[in-house]
């Protein structure tokens, strides 16, 4: 080997070393799996915790006001969607009538899909008629979220399986591929 080939071989080896070190091929940290297991166990404990923590009625009322009218002060305040998600995660059945009302009057299907998620998380049966109406929406995301929410509430699946009934587009002589 001449000096040129040695230099080229050295550059290639250093390049491979840099690529493999930056690509994340290093082994996982020893404590990472243990920490993830602890976190997962804690989440399971919190989900199974009974009774649910009490929620201050004034905070629920504040979230409902934010959901209806948006942030009062500036752009760094919680948004309407933030309030909807928070109400759903808190699981307050007191917020269900306000969520249903906002669902019915809102024209934004994206916002309605957030409300459908929250109603599913809360699991109150008062939301069933509204969610069933949402299954007829033209927006596919709203239909899917409403169906998933209904499944959480009732235990029955309301979504059609698209793999069994695929949407077929008729191919005519005017289509070109």
């Amino acid at each position: 080997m001449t000096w040129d080939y040695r230099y080229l071989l050295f550059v290639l080896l250093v390049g491979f070393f840099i690529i493999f070190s930056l690509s994340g091929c290093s082994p996982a940290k020893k404590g990472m799996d243990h920490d993830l297991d602890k976190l997962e166990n804690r989440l399971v404990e919190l989900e199974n915790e009974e009774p649910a923590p009490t929620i201050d009625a004034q905070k629920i009322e504040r979230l409902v006001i934010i959901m209806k009218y948006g942030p009062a002060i500036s752009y760094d305040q919680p948004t309407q969607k933030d309030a909807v998600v928070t109400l759903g995660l808190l699981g307050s059945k007191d917020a269900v009538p306000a969520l249903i009302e906002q669902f019915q009057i809102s024209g934004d299907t994206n916002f309605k899909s957030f409300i459908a998620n929250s109603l599913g998380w809360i699991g109150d049966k008062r939301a069933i008629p509204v969610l069933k109406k949402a299954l007829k929406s033209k927006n596919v995301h709203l239909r899917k979220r409403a169906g998933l929410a209904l499944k959480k509430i009732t235990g029955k699946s309301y979504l059609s399986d698209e793999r069994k009934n695929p949407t077929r587009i008729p191919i005519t002589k005017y289509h070109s591929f």
Side-chain angles (χ1 to χ4, degrees):
M1 283 188 165
T2 64
W3 175 249
D4 294 332
Y5 290 113
R6 289 183 195 163
Y7 179 73
L8 181 62
L9 183 61
F10 175 76
V11 169
L12 284 172
L13 288 173
V14 169
F16 283 126
F17 175 77
I18 291 172
I19 289 171
F20 282 114
S21 65
L22 294 177
S23 68
C25 293
S26 61
K29 296 178 182 176
K30 291 182 180 180
M32 187 179 289
D33 290 335
H34 177 68
D35 291 343
L36 287 174
D37 288 341
K38 281 177 42 181
L39 181 61
E40 186 175 336
N41 291 338
R42 181 63 182 139
L43 285 172
V44 170
E45 288 174 10
L46 288 173
E47 287 175 352
N48 295 330
E49 189 175 273
E50 294 291 333
T54 58
I55 303 164
D56 186 12
Q58 289 180 335
K59 291 181 181 177
I60 297 295
E61 186 177 344
R62 182 169 181 248
L63 285 169
V64 168
I65 289 170
I66 292 171
M67 176 188 65
K68 287 182 177 182
Y69 306 110
I73 300 172
S74 67
Y75 292 108
D76 64 342
Q77 297 295 315
T79 64
Q80 290 176 297
K81 291 177 185 174
D82 294 334
V84 167
V85 170
T86 304
L87 288 168
L89 290 173
L90 288 174
S92 173
K93 295 193 184 277
D94 296 335
V96 171
L99 285 166
I100 291 172
E101 176 188 354
Q102 196 65 28
F103 187 90
Q104 291 172 336
I105 64 172
S106 177
D108 183 6
T109 55
N110 187 33
F111 186 56
K112 283 183 170 187
S113 65
F114 278 93
I115 296 173
N117 266 352
S118 292
L119 289 169
W121 294 335
I122 294 171
D124 194 313
K125 294 188 185 287
R126 293 178 285 180
I128 292 174
V130 173
L131 292 171
K132 282 185 177 180
K133 282 184 184 177
L135 291 174
K136 298 174 185 173
S137 171
K138 291 180 182 179
N139 186 303
V140 67
H141 300 294
L142 178 57
R143 286 194 314 262
K144 185 168 185 166
R145 288 190 180 186
L148 292 172
L150 282 167
K151 185 173 183 177
K152 287 178 186 176
I153 295 171
T154 64
K156 291 190 271 180
S157 178
Y158 287 85
L159 296 174
S160 64
D161 189 8
E162 293 181 4
R163 283 175 271 159
K164 290 180 183 175
N165 301 318
T167 305
R168 296 197 180 262
I169 300 172
I171 298 176
T172 65
K173 62 182 179 181
Y174 301 108
H175 288 105
S176 62
F177 294 100

